[in-house]
Amino acid sequence: MKQLTEFVANHKKNKHCGVFAVCSAHPLVLEAAMRHAREADTDLLIEATSNQVDQYGGYTGMTPADFCGFVYRLAEQHNFPHARIIPGGDHLGPNRWQTRPAEEAMAHAEELIRTYVAAGFKKIHLDCSISCADDPVPLTDELVAGRAARLAVIAEQTCIEHFGKSDLVYVIGTEVPVPGGAHETLAELAVTSPQAAKKTLEAHRHAFEQSGLSGLWPRIIGLVVQPGVEFDHTQVIDYCPEKSQPLSKMIEASETMVFEAHSTDYQTPQALSRLVENHFAILKVGPALTFALREALFSLSAIERELLPAHRCSGLRDVLETVMLDNPAHWQQHYHGKGDALRLARGYSYSDRVRYYWPDRDIDEAYDTLVKNLANEPIPLPLISQYLPLQYAKVRESQLSATPHELIIDHIQDVLRQYHAACHGETSSD
């Protein structure tokens, strides 16, 4: 994927050059991202995770081919060129099948890789770091790297078979804690040591050589490490540049590789800029975008309650709570406590388990009712000021239409703008 190899080359010349990946399957989030990228005249990296999209449908019900088709149809609707979309696959490996024996899990992982590459995904994160049912805990670097090389062989063969050549780019390594936000309360995180990062690289280089993939190495553009950023349900661990300086220096020796930073959601604009400057130049964002979507919808629901009698309101907040209580699988193992503490976590947690529930039919109907109720007549400006103050300023300056849809999109774009600014040297990191 030429765009991404060129991006790494540009970062080596200009440390303010970064790229961010939108990790979401929600159509409103993707619309916001496409419209932002179109207006900013940039490429758009969109990534699906292995639990979200797999050969069996994942939690979205979409296979990799379904997901790509879905994204490209959205792009056509919003006049965003297909050529500017970079599809990426995140945490591709045996993770989805970790409760099964390793060989069985790896067989599923091989098919996962085949379906992603055949569907046209071009940025592939090989992540074989999770122990399977009959594995030691933790896995050795050599075992992780050997499995990653095994999947890379499948990826290369599949790409050549379907497209005549391989233009895939790869990311290796993994972050700690697990993807999607920490499950426990955090106080501080250990930054990956340069020695550990070097050991990961050396193990992968050797495994790729043993698998006949030495020529692929320049297309490994990213190494996932822990720069010391994370979030849990109620707090954010902020980036501390001083702690990651030795790690930042280490990657400067590579001409073709930068660090990829996961769980950068909710970092300050200045922290995002410092991450890019310190060579954590691929920033992943997901929950923060659906968190912003949820904020906008809750705000519009509050406006609706001010304007309409209760029997005409969508009851979106109550419908969401009912659905989450009736189907607790996506939050029950993550949130702890009782009563109001659990209620608050379900609705407001940074880990945003709400994002798993938006496709529900009852919630979708409540959303449609909410939008229709507020689209029938102009939303009073004082209520926009009360519940969506950042959008209020733009409405007052005639930069934004005061319709429910546009207010939602712009609120999501507030997050995207922070990432764009960090990746283009537009945020002061002083």
Side-chain angles (χ1 to χ4, degrees):
M1 173 54 68
K2 189 176 180 182
Q3 291 123 305
L4 290 178
T5 53
E6 288 180 350
F7 144 71
V8 174
N10 289 337
H11 177 82
K12 297 297 179 178
K13 298 173 186 175
N14 174 13
K15 67 178 183 178
H16 298 287
C17 174
V19 66
F20 65 92
V22 172
C23 305
S24 178
H26 197 288
L28 287 171
V29 169
L30 293 177
E31 177 187 345
M34 289 174 184
R35 288 172 56 178
H36 175 269
R38 187 185 68 206
E39 292 160 12
D41 192 25
T42 62
D43 295 329
L44 178 58
L45 177 55
I46 297 174
E47 300 207 13
T49 61
S50 58
N51 66 329
Q52 186 182 56
V53 171
D54 67 18
Q55 64 265 45
Y56 307 110
Y59 76 74
T60 63
M62 287 188 281
T63 66
D66 294 335
F67 182 80
C68 279
F70 164 66
V71 167
Y72 289 130
R73 286 191 297 274
L74 276 176
E76 289 167 7
Q77 291 172 23
H78 301 295
N79 299 313
F80 189 69
H82 287 197
R84 303 216 73 170
I85 295 172
I86 305 170
D90 200 20
H91 295 288
L92 302 187
N95 307 347
R96 286 277 285 163
W97 303 279
Q98 60 188 270
T99 59
R100 303 183 187 183
E103 272 310 305
E104 182 183 347
M106 283 298 294
H108 285 292
E110 288 181 349
E111 184 60 22
L112 178 74
I113 289 286
R114 284 192 190 94
T115 56
Y116 264 81
V117 174
F121 284 78
K122 295 301 182 183
K123 176 178 176 286
I124 303 296
H125 175 206
L126 300 171
D127 181 7
C128 298
S129 62
I130 300 293
S131 294
C132 298
D134 55 352
D135 277 333
V137 180
L139 298 177
T140 65
D141 284 309
E142 290 72 23
L143 186 52
V144 170
R147 289 178 180 176
R150 175 176 166 180
L151 296 182
V153 169
I154 300 293
E156 291 292 291
Q157 291 172 347
T158 304
C159 199
I160 292 168
E161 177 185 339
H162 284 266
F163 304 104
K165 64 176 183 178
S166 179
D167 57 351
L168 301 175
V169 297
Y170 296 91
V171 171
I172 57 175
T174 193
E175 83 280 27
V176 179
V178 295
H183 297 168
E184 68 280 0
T185 301
L186 297 171
E188 188 175 4
L189 281 176
V191 175
T192 302
S193 71
Q195 295 76 18
K198 287 178 182 177
K199 191 177 178 186
T200 296
L201 285 176
E202 288 167 3
H204 279 77
R205 186 188 288 276
H206 178 71
F208 277 55
E209 287 175 354
Q210 293 295 106
S211 299
L213 297 173
S214 297
L216 182 150
W217 195 256
R219 288 191 275 123
I220 300 177
I221 62 165
L223 173 64
V224 181
V225 291
Q226 177 50 268
V229 302
E230 188 51 89
F231 57 92
D232 62 19
H233 305 314
T234 60
Q235 62 182 346
V236 180
I237 304 298
D238 291 315
Y239 178 55
C240 181
E242 295 75 19
K243 293 181 179 179
S244 67
Q245 282 305 309
L247 184 60
S248 299
K249 292 290 184 184
M250 174 238 138
I251 204 67
E252 292 176 356
S254 172
E255 295 181 0
T256 58
M257 195 178 301
V258 296
F259 289 129
E260 178 168 284
H262 291 213
S263 298
T264 67
D265 307 72
Y266 313 111
Q267 292 290 310
T268 66
Q270 292 75 22
L272 293 174
S273 289
R274 292 300 294 273
L275 281 163
V276 171
E277 291 170 14
N278 291 336
H279 314 306
F280 304 97
I282 305 173
L283 305 176
K284 306 295 280 291
V285 57
L289 297 170
T290 46
F291 184 91
L293 166 67
R294 193 271 312 152
E295 283 184 323
L297 290 174
F298 278 19
S299 294
L300 290 172
S301 185
I303 290 172
E304 179 191 37
R305 289 196 301 271
E306 294 288 354
L307 292 175
L308 298 173
H311 71 276
R312 287 186 54 200
C313 287
S314 64
L316 177 68
R317 179 72 181 91
D318 294 332
V319 172
L320 175 64
E321 176 72 354
T322 298
V323 170
M324 293 184 78
L325 287 172
D326 288 344
N327 303 280
H330 293 301
W331 61 266
Q332 200 167 44
Q333 300 303 313
H334 302 269
Y335 299 151
H336 305 287
K338 296 180 181 179
D340 284 343
L342 276 180
R343 179 182 58 80
L344 287 171
R346 284 191 295 270
Y348 298 97
S349 168
Y350 278 137
S351 57
D352 190 47
R353 308 302 296 182
V354 171
R355 70 185 186 275
Y356 295 93
Y357 293 90
W358 291 124
D360 179 88
R361 181 166 51 185
D362 289 342
I363 295 173
D364 201 42
E365 288 178 0
Y367 164 79
D368 286 341
T369 300
L370 171 67
V371 171
K372 288 175 184 175
N373 280 344
L374 294 180
N376 286 334
E377 54 187 72
I379 301 173
L381 287 174
L383 290 179
I384 299 176
S385 178
Q386 176 68 38
Y387 292 104
L388 290 164
L390 296 179
Q391 281 60 55
Y392 170 76
K394 296 169 192 172
V395 171
R396 287 286 290 117
E397 294 168 3
S398 301
Q399 297 175 3
L400 178 65
S401 174
T403 64
H405 187 81
E406 292 304 303
L407 292 169
I408 293 166
I409 294 297
D410 191 75
H411 193 68
I412 298 168
Q413 288 179 337
D414 280 341
V415 178
L416 295 167
R417 292 181 190 107
Q418 294 179 11
Y419 279 83
H420 176 90
C423 291
H424 291 80
E426 297 173 6
T427 304
S428 171
S429 58
D430 297 334

